[in-house]
Amino acid sequence: MRLNENILLLGKKVVLVPYTSEHVPRYHEWMKSEELQRLTASEPLTLEEEYSMQQSWREDADKCTFIVMDAEKWQAQPRTTEESCMAGDVNLFLTDPGEPSLGEIEVMIAEPSCRGKGFGTEAVLMMMSYVTKLGLTKFEAKIGQGNEPSIRMFRKLHFEQVAVSSVFQEVTLRLTVTERERQWLLEQTSHVEEKRYRDGLSESR
């Protein structure tokens, strides 16, 4: 989605940056993990296919993705490379043309050392707050039944279970953004700064 192609969102624990070709090699290494393939219901891709996928994320109007960076490491640049700061990704899909106010959201914290620190929680909050400008008022998350940490995280973010698929072995959770939820979301993300991506590197040091 070109909406966020040069947008950086600076949070307390994470920094969200657009998914660029520079991030593909590290992302490709992550997705060789059988555990991550299982948790994300993904098939392994070749490096060339991964570059094509990155391009589609950038171009397609119905997808929005950010790479999740470890904010502490990211702030230490230029002593560290951006690739070494990568922790995972957060994605939004506009899956139903008949319901443009609905977005499917997913998050992956791929780096084991970055799990259990609240990175996924902040990344999801930041993504939801960012895309409300698109007029989205409902969010869905489809999570494998065995992925208890992710299910617990979304429930803490006020998502409620609406369906279970025994065929796909996944749970669907939904959040409807009422005025009360919108105010809560604004409070949870009041610290977030929006910057231009490439400018943000020098501004935030």
Side-chain angles (χ1 to χ4, degrees):
M1 186 178 283
R2 288 195 171 275
L3 176 72
N4 74 316
E5 67 179 344
N6 198 31
I7 295 295
L8 175 152
L9 301 176
L10 180 63
K12 291 177 180 176
K13 296 180 178 181
V14 302
V15 178
L16 303 186
V17 304
Y19 184 26
T20 73
S21 58
E22 296 169 41
H23 304 128
V24 171
R26 183 65 170 269
Y27 193 90
H28 181 61
E29 286 301 313
W30 284 341
M31 297 315 297
K32 289 179 180 178
S33 161
E34 291 184 4
E35 179 198 16
L36 289 178
Q37 290 172 24
R38 177 177 56 80
L39 290 174
T40 60
S42 301
E43 295 292 329
L45 301 177
T46 66
L47 184 58
E48 185 177 345
E49 288 170 333
E50 207 73 76
Y51 275 109
S52 297
M53 186 67 73
Q54 178 273 323
Q55 193 64 26
S56 78
W57 277 104
R58 173 186 161 91
E59 300 290 344
D60 292 358
D62 60 353
K63 302 184 182 81
C64 181
T65 191
F66 286 101
I67 293 294
V68 179
M69 300 283 180
D70 180 327
E72 186 176 349
K73 290 181 181 178
W74 189 87
Q75 298 274 25
Q77 292 184 86
R79 296 192 302 277
T80 57
T81 64
E82 186 165 287
E83 185 178 340
S84 71
C85 304
M86 290 171 63
D89 70 338
V90 59
N91 307 307
L92 183 102
F93 308 88
L94 302 177
T95 53
D96 187 349
E99 195 170 0
S101 62
L102 171 65
E104 182 180 334
I105 195 163
E106 62 182 28
V107 64
M108 173 183 74
I109 302 302
E111 285 294 325
S113 64
C114 295
R115 296 174 188 165
K117 296 182 176 180
F119 285 17
T121 298
E122 187 175 47
V124 168
L125 285 167
M126 289 165 67
M127 172 66 97
M128 289 196 298
S129 178
Y130 177 70
V131 298
T132 51
K133 66 179 70 177
L134 300 177
L136 293 171
T137 57
K138 292 185 283 291
F139 295 97
E140 277 189 354
K142 294 181 179 180
I143 306 165
Q145 286 177 304
N147 192 350
E148 283 296 331
S150 190
I151 292 171
R152 282 197 302 272
M153 183 198 76
F154 276 98
R155 282 181 169 154
K156 285 180 181 177
L157 296 177
H158 302 179
F159 281 68
E160 296 181 352
Q161 183 174 310
V162 293
V164 178
S165 170
S166 56
V167 175
F168 296 107
Q169 294 188 322
E170 68 180 15
V171 177
T172 300
L173 298 102
R174 179 178 280 212
L175 171 67
T176 299
V177 184
T178 60
E179 180 59 26
R180 182 177 178 180
E181 291 289 357
R182 192 179 72 83
Q183 288 299 325
W184 174 80
L185 189 57
L186 287 172
E187 289 169 9
Q188 297 301 309
T189 56
S190 61
H191 62 282
V192 176
E193 296 179 62
E194 183 175 321
K195 301 174 179 288
R196 286 179 59 83
Y197 174 38
R198 292 304 180 185
D199 297 343
L201 288 170
S202 56
E203 288 175 9
S204 299
R205 286 181 195 139

